[in-house]
Structures are given as structure tokens and as C-alpha cells.
């Protein structure tokens, strides 16, 4: 993950908009703001896209989000808008291995139809032609919407495109606190000094809750570990965007199968991730499960060796939906944490954040279901109530290095 963005070595004094978090959410917002002519600075404690944004499946099909229409409108244009390649590939084949998966897959068909998108039902011969690695399936749908992109290229594209418009990236700089005056955040305290700002955007993934707490604001979000595996390259299939059987993922342009899915491992709290140079490593049981599901769906890939695997930390809100909101107090703060669907939604979430900063309201989508106030009555022990506490066996899954 080298060369994603240049690193400013000189410490700036501030910017009109300071964004905390150099993942897909923060960088897309930075790009939208910079192209709107706003002086913007994105800060990250590590390097950009080192956390979930550089470790995800690349899926861009979030049919149940209020940002879905904007997600679908923007992705086919992203290479042109950014001026850098994202490797976006349109369309998605969803393979169902049993009637339960088939019924679940049908929900996306119906939802697509509501937006005017078409889906075809594939017979076994058509599935074999489009996805030659697939075997016997209960059924398959070909959505003529959605798709996937390369997370590294995309986030790199956001960073470079933002810089092309005059935006700045400050890496290896940890935000420690905020200066509030007159109901507004006026400064950001970092381990390298203070930065002045007119507006603040918190886009720190699972660590957004902890940063918001420094402002006296509760953003309920809990971290969980998810994993992906990558096989050696296989002959390119006519449609590389095929998933199902509990997995998400894609065939890369080089031919590797890159897939994840299945159970996540809840983490204690964001302190687990703080300052981590190396996020939690992948573990054999989860990898083995992903591989087994992949072989059930793609039996003709049975022989393929796994080249690499990784783990990433996903942000989760209590209802699984993002929080994208401009706060009432402090009045110049926008919070954006995407609850595990933030890569695909990033073109749209960045646009929404930009409008919330510059106009105070998002004009292209109704974000009322993403407001923070929906959690006003949330119980203090919401994590325990959902059984989302870290597992006591976690130490087994993350053995000490060496
Ligand atoms: C294995 C896996 C597969 C996934 N698959 C998909 C998929 O197919 N499609 C999809 O849409 N989504 C997927 N996701 C989820 C998606 O990756 C995330 O929702 C998205 O990347 C969140 O982006 P973000 O920018 O909001 O947060 P992050 O990528 O977590 O970035 C937050 C940044 O904030 C920085 N930060 C935190 N605290 C501080 C601080 N105090 N000071 C300075 N910087 C700070 C961090 O260093 C980090 O770089 C997947 C995630 C994983 C792990």
C-alpha cells in the first residue's frame, strides 16, 4: 500500500475544513470539498487506507441505503470524475446455493426494481457461461446494477484527486482532542500540534465514537474483525463480480479470487485498534470457512491455492446503518461512520458530507434515517444486549507476533 498519497512533512496551521480519518469516507469527502473550492485537510494517524478502506471486498451494491441511487449514479463515472482508475466493473451475479439464500437474494431484485434497475434470472447453462468456476447452484440472478471496484486504487484516486484540487493530506498525525469555543470546534489538537478549523468532519471508522465522545457526543459504534482470502490467479471469467453463499467478493482484474464473509469477531473497543501499526491478523478457522464456502460455490476453483489473507476492522452501529449527520452542538461538526458498507457508498457519502458542510443539508438524498438522534433512547449496555462483546477466546485468534 505504498504511494497512496504524498505525506506532508511540514505541520500546517489549519484549514477551513479538517477531516479526521484518511479512509474512503474522509478522503471522498475531502475530494468533494476540494473540488467545490473548499480549503480542506485530511488527517490520519497512520497512512491513508491502512484500515478497513484498504482491506475490503470492493462491493458497490448497497440497495437498502438512502444513498443507493447516488452510489449507482456515481460509480460508472468515477474514473472520469477522479481522473484516476478505480477498476469499477458494473453488474453483479448473485449465486444462491439453497432456497433460503434464493429468497434472500430476491430482496435485492425487488429493491433494484423499485429504482428501475433490471435483474435477469440465469439458467444453469447461462451461469456456467458467465461464471465458469460456478458449479450446481439452486439459482442465480444477474443484477444489471451494482458492481465492484479496487479499494486501493479507489482510495488512492480520492487522495490524488483531492490533492489535484488543492486539498491536503497529513499522515502520521493522531488527533487527541478538540478546542471548542462558542458552540463550535475551533481547533484540533494532535500529537504534532494544533490545527485551526472552521468545520470539523469526524470520519474515523470504528474510532469515530471515541473522538465524538471528546466533544460530549455519543456515537454508538463497535469494532469487529473481518477477513478476506485471495487465491492465485485463475482464468478471467466473463463476469468477475459474482458472489453468494454467505460470501462477498470478486475476481480481480489479474484473475485472483478475493472473497470474505461469514461471522465477524467482535473486538473489545476501539482501543484495540488504536495506534496499531498492524491490524489483527487473519486466523486459520475463519480463513478455512471462507475457503470452504468459496469451493462450494466455485467447485472448479478447488485446486486454487490461497496466496494471502488479511483481517480488517469493521465499524458497526446498533442498527447496522451508517451515521451521516451534522450535529446541533457543536454546530460545525459532521459525523460520518458507515457501519461496514462504507467503501461502496463512499462516492455518495463524500458528496453528502460535502453538502452537510457547505450547505448544512444534503440535497440529493433524504438522510433522516441516518441521523444520530435515532439512538437517543439507546440503552447504555446495547453492546451486551446484542451479544456483541469481544469473545474470551479472542486471544487465541490473535496470537502474539512471533
Ligand atoms: C474485510 C472487509 C471487507 C469489507 N467489504 C466491504 C465491501 O465489499 N463493500 C463495502 O462497501 N464495504 C466493505 N467493508 C467495509 C468498509 O471497508 C468500511 O465501511 C469503510 O472502509 C469505512 O471507511 P472509513 O473511511 O469510514 O473508515 P476507515 O477505513 O476505518 O478509516 C478511518 C481512518 O481514521 C483514522 N483515525 C482513527 N482515529 C484517528 C485519530 N485519532 N487521529 C487520526 N486518524 C484517526 C484511521 O487511521 C483510519 O485510517 C469491508 C470491510 C472489511 C474489513
Amino acid at each position: 500500500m505504498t504511494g497512496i498519497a504524498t505525506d506532508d512533512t511540514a505541520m500546517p496551521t489549519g484549514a477551513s475544513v479538517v477531516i479526521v480519518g484518511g479512509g474512503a469516507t474522509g478522503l471522498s469527502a475531502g475530494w468533494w470539498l476540494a473540488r467545490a473550492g473548499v480549503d480542506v485537510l485530511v488527517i490520519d494517524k497512520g497512512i491513508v487506507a491502512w484500515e478497513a478502506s484498504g482491506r475490503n471486498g470492493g462491493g458497490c451494491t448497497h440497495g437498502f441505503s438512502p444513498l443507493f441511487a447516488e452510489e449507482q449514479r456515481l460509480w460508472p463515472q468515477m474514473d472520469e470524475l477522479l481522473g484516476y482508475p478505480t477498476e469499477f466493473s458494473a453488474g453483479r451475479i448473485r449465486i444462491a446455493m439453497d432456497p433460503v439464500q434464493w429468497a434472500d437474494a430476491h430482496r435485492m431484485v425487488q429493491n433494484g426494481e423499485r429504482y428501475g434497475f433490471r435483474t435477469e434470472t440465469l439458467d444453469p447453462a447461462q451461469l456456467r457461461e458467465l461464471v465458469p468456476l460456478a458449479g450446481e447452484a439452486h439459482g442465480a440472478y444477474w443484477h444489471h446494477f451494482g458492481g465492484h471496484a479496487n479499494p486501493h486504487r479507489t482510495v488512492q484516486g480520492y487522495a490524488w484527486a483531492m490533492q489535484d484540487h488543492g486539498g491536503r493530506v497529513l499522515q502520521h498525525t493522531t488527533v487527541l482532542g478538540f478546542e471548542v469555543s462558542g458552540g463550535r470546534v475551533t481547533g484540533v489538537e494532535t500529537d504534532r500540534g494544533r490545527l485551526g478549523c472552521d468545520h470539523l468532519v469526524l470520519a474515523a471508522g470504528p474510532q469515530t465514537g471515541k473522538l465524538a465522545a471528546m466533544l460530549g457526543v455519543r456515537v454508538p459504534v463497535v469494532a469487529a474483525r473481518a477477513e478476506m482470502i485471495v487465491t492465485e490467479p485463475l482464468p478471467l471469467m466473463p463476469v468477475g463480480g459474482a458472489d453468494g453463499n454467505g460470501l462477498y467478493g470478486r475476481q480481480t482484474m489479474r484473475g485472483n479470487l478475493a472473497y470474505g464473509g461469514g461471522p465477524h469477531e467482535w473486538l473489545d473497543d476501539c482501543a484495540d485498534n488504536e495506534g496499531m501499526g498492524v491490524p489483527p491478523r487473519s486466523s486459520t478457522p475463519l480463513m478455512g470457512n471462507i475457503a470452504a464456502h468459496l469451493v462450494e460455490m466455485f467447485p472448479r476453483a478447488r485446486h486454487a491455492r490461497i496466496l494471502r489473507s488479511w483481517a480488517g476492522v469493521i465499524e458497526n452501529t446498533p442498527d447496522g446503518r451508517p451515521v451521516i449527520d451534522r450535529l446541533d452542538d457543536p454546530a460545525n461538526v459532521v459525523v460520518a461512520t458507515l457501519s461496514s458498507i462504507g467503501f461502496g457508498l463512499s462516492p455518495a457519502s463524500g458528496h453528502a458530507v460535502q453538502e452537510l458542510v457547505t450547505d448544512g443539508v444534503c440535497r440529493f438524498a433524504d438522510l433522516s434515517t441516518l441521523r444520530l438522534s435515532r439512538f437517543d433512547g439507546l440503552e447504555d449496555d446495547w453492546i451486551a444486549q446484542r451479544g456483541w462483546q469481544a469473545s474470551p477466546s479472542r486471544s487465541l485468534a490473535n496470537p502474539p507476533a512471533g
Side-chain angles (χ1 to χ4, degrees):
M1 273 185 269
T2 53
I4 279 185
T6 56
D7 193 5
D8 292 343
T9 47
M11 184 67 183
T13 54
S16 178
V17 181
V18 170
I19 298 177
V20 186
T25 307
L27 285 166
S28 173
W31 167 63
W32 278 98
L33 284 159
R35 68 200 287 269
V38 176
D39 169 35
V40 61
L41 175 70
V42 176
I43 313 175
D44 201 285
K45 65 180 166 54
I47 60 170
V48 300
W50 179 249
E51 298 198 355
S53 295
R55 295 165 184 274
N56 62 74
C60 311
T61 318
H62 297 108
F64 303 101
S65 169
L67 292 173
F68 178 55
E70 185 69 351
E71 177 192 54
Q72 299 305 305
R73 184 183 78 81
L74 286 169
W75 269 112
Q77 310 175 49
M78 286 308 283
D79 287 20
E80 198 180 332
L81 290 174
L82 291 172
Y84 299 98
T86 62
E87 295 181 8
F88 175 70
S89 173
R92 196 107 203 117
I93 289 181
R94 171 54 57 92
I95 299 171
M97 303 301 291
D98 59 41
V100 175
Q101 291 182 10
W102 186 241
D104 188 51
H106 191 65
R107 292 172 56 232
M108 185 61 94
V109 177
Q110 290 173 314
N111 197 61
E113 281 168 357
R114 272 202 288 278
Y115 288 86
F117 294 124
R118 197 165 60 87
T119 297
E120 282 177 66
T121 304
L122 299 176
D123 64 30
Q126 289 170 318
L127 176 61
R128 187 74 48 79
E129 191 180 325
L130 296 170
V131 187
L133 294 174
E136 295 300 316
H138 179 83
Y141 286 123
W142 189 7
H143 301 302
H144 294 279
F145 57 93
H148 62 266
N150 180 324
H152 294 129
R153 285 207 180 272
T154 302
V155 181
Q156 174 176 292
Y158 285 137
W160 281 340
M162 180 184 75
Q163 290 172 319
D164 291 344
H165 288 286
R168 290 169 290 161
V169 178
L170 188 65
Q171 301 181 112
H172 305 295
T173 305
T174 302
V175 172
L176 303 173
F178 304 101
E179 180 187 280
V180 181
S181 173
R184 299 175 71 83
V185 173
T186 50
V188 177
E189 293 153 17
T190 80
D191 59 350
R192 294 176 60 196
R194 178 193 178 274
L195 297 158
C197 67
D198 302 319
H199 293 268
L200 173 72
V201 176
L202 296 181
Q207 293 137 106
T208 303
K210 195 168 181 182
L211 287 163
M214 296 174 187
L215 293 167
V217 175
R218 184 190 189 207
V219 178
V221 60
V222 63
R225 195 178 69 137
E227 300 192 357
M228 295 199 57
I229 59 169
V230 177
T231 70
E232 62 188 325
L234 297 169
L236 284 176
M237 302 190 287
V239 176
D243 61 15
N245 203 24
L247 302 179
Y248 50 76
R250 70 194 198 282
Q251 184 175 40
T252 69
M253 288 181 75
R254 196 162 166 252
N256 317 76
L257 302 177
Y259 281 83
H264 297 166
E265 183 194 12
W266 303 108
L267 301 177
D268 265 336
D269 80 48
C270 298
D272 283 289
N273 318 318
E274 206 176 32
M276 62 186 176
V278 182
R281 288 173 294 161
S282 49
S283 71
T284 308
L286 285 187
M287 275 174 59
N289 253 308
I290 294 169
H293 279 245
L294 190 58
V295 168
E296 280 169 21
M297 184 170 65
F298 290 164
R300 291 173 183 81
R302 182 179 287 111
H303 63 284
R305 286 170 300 177
I306 296 175
L307 286 189
R308 56 185 177 275
S309 67
W310 62 78
V313 179
I314 285 186
E315 70 287 11
N316 301 271
T317 64
D319 61 9
R321 282 185 276 130
V323 171
I324 302 180
D325 201 2
R326 181 159 170 167
L327 303 182
D328 296 328
D329 183 21
N332 59 341
V333 177
V334 172
V335 173
T337 185
L338 270 289
S339 201
S340 71
I341 50 176
F343 174 72
L345 288 180
S346 60
S349 66
H351 191 189
V353 170
Q354 177 248 302
E355 291 199 351
L356 287 172
V357 171
T358 56
D359 308 336
V361 63
C362 176
R363 300 185 191 286
F364 63 84
D366 175 6
L367 300 187
S368 53
T369 57
L370 308 186
R371 294 211 68 180
L372 192 53
S373 56
R374 72 186 191 269
F375 297 127
D376 279 353
L378 189 72
E379 307 79 5
D380 287 342
D381 63 345
W382 67 273
I383 294 175
Q385 282 191 21
R386 285 162 180 76
W388 289 2
Q389 313 96 314
S391 152
S393 63
R394 177 166 177 267
S395 53
L396 296 177
N398 288 301

